[in-house]
């Protein structure tokens, strides 16, 4: 800074510790440091909220910088500008003197400029015989140079935050559109499912979107909408797969009815019926005298489930989508106590914990085996964790699990809404506890 001493304001304007701190900061400019005044001004505009200045104050700063003689601000070229109020008002788009003084005070309080007042409060410069400025009184832009790195960093962060908000808003808009049209398609096609409940959940999410939102406000809403969209897509995909299976089985049945029955006897010697399959065929009330029943192996009754209208591929239940382990543990933190060593680090740990909890809840091994076959082991363990989290709200965990397994086979159950409800419930509990 050009003055090597503390300078206080003229007249009745008080001195403050903030002004003193700004003067000390202005004296820490690194030797040879330079910045383009207009690039620096643009950075200040980007970082305006973080710096705590108004748009009118920036208009005044813009006018002040027009009085700086060079494009680059540096100590070698001086850091003081000394326009009169009349000149400054003209370049500030005709701002009135009272408004001008108010916004100059805002710039001083924000630590962007300093006052270097003369003994009589006038702004002027003393020049030597060669015409060079020896001492000047007016406004110092030294804080801009001293805080250049900070200002540029704040501007970069502001740009990144704005871009993140834009991208988040776009994704949220697309997600809202997808959910709305997928629900409409499901209702039009008559897809089975709790579409009234899903629509209510969607409307509740929409109601939580604030008018003026930050990226931090929208991120959790986007996550929940993404889960809801994934569940809807999962339900529709299961419907598509069911239709394909029904169509394939109709073609197979039609082919069998039109086949030459003599060929059955030709193939019979090469087919060996297992004992369990034979028993299943003998016990089937629909079994007829035709030898065709012995050509079609029956599935074991232990936990394998068939889709409505035809048999599923052995060992594969109706595919529910598995969710990230982190989301499951966030929704169901109680399951952590039953993991190996009191923690859960992977899906194997969760499935081990689910076996322990299953026994504790009184769920029979056969009910859990059917759930694993119908939902998949990971999803069955997730449902056990959800049942544990809901605690006393479920009177018969075993019956509840069997009901969910049957609903899964019919394509009427989705894990996502259950997890989302528990995540919200845990979030509300945490907020009330804090």
């Amino acid at each position: 800074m050009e003055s090597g001493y503390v300078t206080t304001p003229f007249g009745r304007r008080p001195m403050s510790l903030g002004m003193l701190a700004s003067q000390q900061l202005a004296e820490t400019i690194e030797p040879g440091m330079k910045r383009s005044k207009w690039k620096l001004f643009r950075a200040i505009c980007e970082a305006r909220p973080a710096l705590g200045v108004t748009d009118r104050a920036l208009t005044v700063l813009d006018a002040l910088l027009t009085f700086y003689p060079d494009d680059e601000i540096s100590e070698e070229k001086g850091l003081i500008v000394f326009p009169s109020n009349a000149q400054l008002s003209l370049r500030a788009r005709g701002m009135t003197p009272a408004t001008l003084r108010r916004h100059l005070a805002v710039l001083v309080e924000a630590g962007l400029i300093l006052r270097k007042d003369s003994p009589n409060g006038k702004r002027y410069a003393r020049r030597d015989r060669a015409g060079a400025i020896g001492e000047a009184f007016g406004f110092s832009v030294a804080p801009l140079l001293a805080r250049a790195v900070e200002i540029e960093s704040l501007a970069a962060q502001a740009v990144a935050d704005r871009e993140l908000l834009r991208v988040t808003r776009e994704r949220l808009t697309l997600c809202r559109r997808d959910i709305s049209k997928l629900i409409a398609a499901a209702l039009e096609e008559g897809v089975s499912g709790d579409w009234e409940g899903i629509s209510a959940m969607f409307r509740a999410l929409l109601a939580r979107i604030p008018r003026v939102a930050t990226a931090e406000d929208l991120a959790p809403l986007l996550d929940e909408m993404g889960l809801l969209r994934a569940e809807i897509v999962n339900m529709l995909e299961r419907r598509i797969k069911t239709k394909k299976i029904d169509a394939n089985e109709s073609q197979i049945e039609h082919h069998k009815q039109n086949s030459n029955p003599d060929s059955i006897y030709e193939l019979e010697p090469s087919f060996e019926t297992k004992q369990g399959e034979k028993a299943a065929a003998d016990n089937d009330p629909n079994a007829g005298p035709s030898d065709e029943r012995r050509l079609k192996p029956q599935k074991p009754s232990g936990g394998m489930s068939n889709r409505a209208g035809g048999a599923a591929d052995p060992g594969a239940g109706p595919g529910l989508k598995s969710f990230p382990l982190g989301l499951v543990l966030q929704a169901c933190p109680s399951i952590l106590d039953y993991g190996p060593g009191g923690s859960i680090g992977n899906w194997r740990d969760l499935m081990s914990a689910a076996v322990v909890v299953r026994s504790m809840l009184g769920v029979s091994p056969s009910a859990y085996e059917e759930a694993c076959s119908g939902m998949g082991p990971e999803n069955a363990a997730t449902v056990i964790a959800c049942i544990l989290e809901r605690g006393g709200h479920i009177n018969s965990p075993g019956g509840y699990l069997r009901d969910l397994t049957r609903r899964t086979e019919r394509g009427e159950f989705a894990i996502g809404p259950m997890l989302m409800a528990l995540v919200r419930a845990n979030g509300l509990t945490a907020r009330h506890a804090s």
Side-chain angles (χ1 to χ4, degrees):
M1 186 176 174
E2 291 188 344
S3 62
Y5 55 88
V6 174
T7 178
T8 57
F10 171 77
R12 290 179 295 177
R13 287 192 297 267
M15 183 66 178
S16 67
L17 292 179
M19 293 180 186
L20 182 59
S22 295
Q23 291 181 31
Q24 291 175 342
L25 177 64
E27 294 176 356
T28 62
I29 299 174
E30 297 180 2
M33 187 173 185
K34 298 179 181 180
R35 283 295 189 278
S36 167
K37 63 181 181 182
W38 298 122
K39 289 183 180 179
L40 193 55
F41 177 73
R42 180 179 178 83
I44 294 170
C45 292
E46 295 281 6
R48 182 177 65 83
L51 294 172
V53 292
T54 63
D55 53 348
R56 299 296 299 277
L58 291 182
T59 300
V60 176
L61 180 60
D62 182 22
L64 276 175
L65 290 176
T66 62
F67 289 99
Y68 194 83
D70 295 290
D71 182 65
E72 285 190 335
I73 302 175
S74 65
E75 283 190 292
E76 291 78 7
K77 297 173 183 177
L79 297 171
I80 304 293
V81 292
F82 40 90
S84 65
N85 280 345
Q87 292 174 320
L88 189 55
S89 176
L90 286 174
R91 297 198 188 183
R93 280 73 171 171
M95 192 176 290
T96 63
T99 305
L100 195 62
R101 287 192 295 270
R102 186 168 67 251
H103 291 299
L104 284 169
V106 170
L107 293 173
V108 172
E109 290 172 5
L112 296 178
I113 62 172
L114 286 175
R115 292 182 186 273
K116 186 184 177 186
D117 289 343
S118 65
N120 62 0
K122 302 292 184 178
R123 301 179 199 129
Y124 58 87
R126 289 199 182 98
R127 301 178 184 270
D128 58 18
R129 292 183 178 180
I133 296 176
E135 188 173 14
F137 297 97
F139 297 104
S140 172
V141 294
L144 296 182
L145 200 56
R147 299 179 63 186
V149 175
E150 175 196 354
I151 291 170
E152 290 163 352
S153 176
L154 290 173
Q157 184 62 48
V159 171
D161 290 344
R162 187 169 63 246
E163 180 64 17
L164 177 61
L165 178 61
R166 183 189 66 79
V167 172
T168 305
R169 283 185 179 278
E170 286 181 353
R171 291 176 178 172
L172 189 63
T173 300
L174 292 174
C175 199
R176 290 172 60 180
R177 184 183 71 191
D178 292 346
I179 292 174
S180 177
K181 295 198 173 185
L182 288 173
I183 291 177
L187 294 174
E188 184 177 349
E189 296 289 337
V191 179
S192 60
D194 185 15
W195 297 110
E196 183 177 349
I198 291 175
S199 298
M201 186 179 301
F202 180 47
R203 290 193 297 270
L205 288 174
L206 293 179
R208 289 167 51 195
I209 300 177
R211 282 182 172 272
V212 180
T214 63
E216 289 75 15
D217 296 329
L218 297 180
L221 291 172
L222 179 60
D223 290 340
E224 292 186 41
M225 281 199 182
L227 287 175
L228 185 59
R229 177 176 59 183
E231 279 304 314
I232 294 172
V233 171
N234 194 24
M235 294 170 70
L236 296 179
E237 287 179 346
R238 289 203 302 272
R239 174 61 180 267
I240 294 172
K241 291 178 182 177
T242 303
K243 284 187 174 181
K244 288 183 178 179
I245 290 174
D246 292 344
N248 290 339
E249 290 181 346
S250 297
Q251 292 176 1
I252 292 172
E253 186 65 25
H254 181 72
H255 174 72
K256 287 180 177 178
Q257 291 174 356
N258 293 329
S259 297
N260 183 358
D262 294 340
S263 63
I264 295 176
Y265 299 98
E266 294 175 2
L267 294 173
E268 184 178 1
S270 63
F271 183 78
E272 296 179 4
T273 304
K274 295 183 180 179
Q275 183 177 1
E277 296 165 354
K278 184 177 184 302
D282 293 338
N283 292 332
D284 192 337
N286 297 323
S290 173
D291 290 333
E292 180 182 344
R293 295 286 303 178
R294 293 188 291 129
L295 289 175
K296 184 176 180 181
Q298 304 296 314
K299 291 184 176 62
S301 60
M304 297 300 179
S305 56
N306 294 342
R307 293 183 184 265
D313 189 25
L320 286 179
K321 177 182 177 180
S322 296
F323 289 87
L325 179 61
L327 176 63
V328 175
L329 298 181
Q330 181 184 356
C332 311
S334 300
I335 195 73
L336 290 168
D337 297 333
Y338 301 92
S343 65
I344 294 176
N346 51 51
W347 281 105
R348 183 181 296 275
D349 292 345
L350 179 64
M351 289 186 282
S352 299
V355 172
V356 176
V357 171
R358 186 274 307 164
S359 176
M360 184 187 71
L361 294 175
V363 176
S364 66
S366 62
Y368 187 59
E369 181 183 353
E370 290 175 6
C372 289
S373 300
M375 303 178 183
E378 294 87 353
N379 288 323
T382 299
V383 170
I384 288 291
C386 292
I387 294 175
L388 173 66
E389 196 66 29
R390 296 183 64 182
H393 297 286
I394 300 174
N395 295 327
S396 175
Y400 183 63
L401 182 62
R402 287 185 187 275
D403 180 63
L404 294 183
T405 302
R406 288 192 293 268
R407 289 171 59 189
T408 300
E409 294 170 358
R410 296 194 299 266
E412 298 175 356
F413 172 62
I415 296 178
M418 179 185 290
L419 287 176
M420 289 162 58
L422 289 174
V423 167
R424 286 197 297 273
N426 290 336
L428 288 174
T429 302
R431 283 197 291 273
H432 290 320
S434 60

